[in-house]
Amino acid sequence: ADMASEAAEHKAEGEEHEAVKKYSKFYGAYSAFIELEVAENEDLRLQLARLLRFRTTRTPAEKAAKEGMFDFGPAVAVSKMRSLDEYIADATEAQKAKKVIYYLAGTSADVAKSPLLARFAQRGIEVLLMTEPVDEHMVQRMATYSEWKFESIAKDGLVLDDDEAAASKEFDATYADAKAFIGKALKADIERVVFVAGPENVPGTVKSSQYGWTGNMERLIMAQASAREDPMLAFMAKQKRILELNPRNALVRDILARASDPARADAELRVTIRVLADALAVASGYSVRDPARFTAGVDRVVRRLHDVEVSPLGVKKDNEEKAAEGAEAPEDVFGLNDDDDEKADSPLGDLGASLDNDSFDMDALNTAMDMWLRLSLLRPSLLRPSLSCPRRLRPTGPLVVDARSR
């Protein structure tokens, strides 16, 4: 702690100062162990949290962010990383009133250019960039620091100010029909569509619900082969996401105008919307759930752009006409006829229709997730099966989680 305090005092003098060099060397060697102890040791959590250092959107490309480039570059030296105390001291007045620390977890490449940062960079709000595998788990366990709560910008529900809330309500009223059309087109993967005003060069983002997995958490947990065999984790991986669209973006505005017009809201537009939603999911840190459908959609959009002939979409009405003529009906590659189903699939997927949201035990699910994270993130090299878990965290028997509330 004394070493960290001394390094902070001489930070302005640069990397050559002896105290800065000394702490940089220490933190580079032991940062992973410090983060693990912050996550697991409640008694020393606050003291250890003061030692933490993070990349943020102010290190080192603040100018680029203000210009709308949102490229925060590769990893930076420890001496240029910022502590939680520095973050709080430099927070905006609105942030200080809410006492919120914003963060984004993911790989260095994902967070450096993430569209999720756009709204915050536009308002000069600093965001912690957490690029270590254990970071997101650590923050979820820590929850608060000096009465400031941590809030992931990759989760739904963030409203930065009253102006943003008013703009969202106005968009909802203006594009009500378009919102319903888009929601129906994406009902297999998207829980709901939300309008959020942002920079004009960012069409939107894809987020998780408050209890869902962010793209980073999904990547970490599902990287384990055994996770795919666990019905509880498989269910979480299939959860629907939140699509945030920015009506100030020219592309989104055109799509909304077409979707609002019954004469132009056709099957081709639904394909375009699905391609856009998948592209935004990838940009937001998620993987594409149906790569074949996505690549077919990109191919179709590019062909139409260059006036190259495209195959029929296989919409139910057209297929019925083909059948009446005795011709072979085209395959419904994009699942456009799914919207005709009166009853949607069970929201619990592989867990079966016998479970529903009212009887679902979120505490049990959190327990299962916590065990998986302990077994995976406590390894120095991510998910390397040859490394063993510390004895105090080894399960004594098979992990069984009952999804029903008893």
Side-chain angles (χ1 to χ4, degrees):
D2 293 339
M3 191 191 310
S5 299
E6 187 178 1
E9 291 175 7
H10 298 283
K11 186 175 181 178
E13 299 177 33
E15 298 178 38
E16 297 305 316
H17 192 280
E18 187 61 31
V20 177
K21 289 171 64 176
K22 188 176 181 181
Y23 188 70
S24 295
K25 186 176 180 180
F26 164 79
Y27 194 78
Y30 294 101
S31 60
F33 297 97
I34 294 172
E35 290 172 348
L36 289 172
E37 280 301 307
V38 170
E40 302 299 330
N41 193 328
E42 295 184 9
D43 296 333
L44 298 177
R45 183 168 290 162
L46 179 60
Q47 295 93 315
L48 291 170
R50 293 194 178 102
L51 307 181
L52 296 173
R53 298 292 183 270
F54 300 99
R55 290 175 60 200
T56 80
T57 49
R58 292 187 183 175
T59 55
E62 184 177 6
K63 182 175 182 293
K66 287 183 177 179
E67 292 174 354
M69 295 168 63
F70 312 115
D71 184 354
F72 299 96
V76 297
V78 173
S79 61
K80 294 181 180 179
M81 297 167 78
R82 289 165 62 79
S83 67
L84 294 175
D85 289 324
E86 288 175 311
Y87 179 96
I88 290 173
D90 294 339
T92 63
E93 292 304 318
Q95 250 185 296
K96 289 178 179 178
K98 294 181 179 180
K99 291 190 174 182
V100 175
I101 298 174
Y102 297 109
Y103 71 92
L104 175 64
T107 65
S108 295
D110 285 342
V111 301
K113 300 180 181 181
S114 174
L116 293 163
L117 297 170
R119 292 160 59 200
F120 298 85
Q122 186 183 47
R123 291 167 172 77
I125 299 175
E126 186 175 15
V127 179
L128 300 181
L129 305 178
M130 300 188 171
T131 56
E132 295 298 325
V134 73
D135 282 344
E136 189 167 10
H137 174 58
M138 174 193 70
V139 169
Q140 289 175 352
R141 294 298 297 268
M142 185 160 52
T144 62
Y145 175 80
S146 295
E147 298 184 354
W148 284 58
K149 65 178 181 178
F150 288 92
E151 197 153 348
S152 172
I153 68 170
K155 288 184 176 288
D156 177 45
L158 279 180
V159 179
L160 299 182
D161 52 45
D162 293 338
D163 291 339
E164 188 174 87
S168 295
K169 288 183 179 179
E170 183 179 344
F171 291 141
D172 282 337
T174 304
Y175 298 113
D177 293 339
K179 185 175 182 178
F181 180 86
I182 294 171
K184 188 176 181 181
L186 300 174
K187 72 173 188 178
D189 300 311
I190 297 298
E191 180 181 333
R192 68 178 181 276
V193 179
V194 180
F195 294 131
V196 176
E200 293 181 0
N201 62 331
V202 179
T205 59
V206 171
K207 294 186 173 183
S208 74
S209 65
Q210 284 297 318
Y211 295 103
W213 285 346
T214 63
N216 179 61
M217 188 64 74
E218 180 178 291
R219 176 181 61 83
L220 290 173
I221 294 180
M222 298 311 293
Q224 303 172 88
S226 55
R228 299 182 182 277
E229 300 172 2
D230 188 306
M232 190 72 72
L233 298 179
F235 154 64
M236 285 297 296
K238 294 178 181 179
Q239 285 293 279
K240 295 183 179 182
R241 302 160 183 164
I242 312 299
L243 176 64
E244 283 192 355
L245 292 177
N246 175 21
R248 291 179 178 172
N249 177 265
L251 173 61
V252 173
R253 201 161 51 243
D254 182 70
I255 289 175
L256 293 175
R258 287 184 59 188
S260 300
D261 183 357
R264 302 166 64 199
D266 55 11
E268 290 289 356
L269 180 59
R270 286 154 66 188
V271 172
T272 302
I273 290 170
R274 289 188 175 185
V275 171
L276 175 63
D278 283 341
L280 293 179
V282 173
S284 302
Y286 286 100
S287 59
V288 176
R289 287 175 173 169
D290 190 341
R293 188 186 71 187
F294 177 59
T295 53
V298 172
D299 177 79
R300 189 175 189 86
V301 170
V302 173
R303 282 173 175 269
R304 293 179 61 223
L305 178 66
H306 293 279
D307 295 324
V308 178
E309 184 180 358
V310 294
S311 59
L313 280 173
V315 180
K316 186 175 181 180
K317 180 180 178 181
D318 297 338
N319 287 352
E320 290 172 350
E321 293 177 356
K322 291 277 186 181
E325 296 171 1
E328 184 178 353
E331 181 183 358
D332 180 19
V333 178
F334 301 100
L336 298 176
N337 295 321
D338 293 347
D339 294 336
D340 296 327
D341 296 336
E342 294 182 0
K343 185 177 180 180
D345 294 336
S346 169
L348 295 178
D350 291 343
L351 288 182
S354 61
L355 297 176
D356 55 36
N357 286 324
D358 292 333
S359 64
F360 187 71
D361 191 344
M362 185 57 69
D363 290 336
L365 176 59
N366 287 335
T367 300
M369 287 175 58
D370 182 65
M371 181 59 75
W372 279 108
L373 288 166
R374 290 177 185 227
L375 293 174
S376 61
L377 300 180
L378 291 178
R379 300 175 180 177
S381 179
L382 178 62
L383 307 176
R384 187 177 294 168
S386 60
L387 297 176
S388 61
C389 180
R391 183 176 298 277
R392 66 189 177 91
L393 295 179
R394 291 178 190 168
T396 56
L399 179 63
V400 178
V401 179
D402 188 352
R404 289 183 179 274
S405 298
R406 298 290 185 180

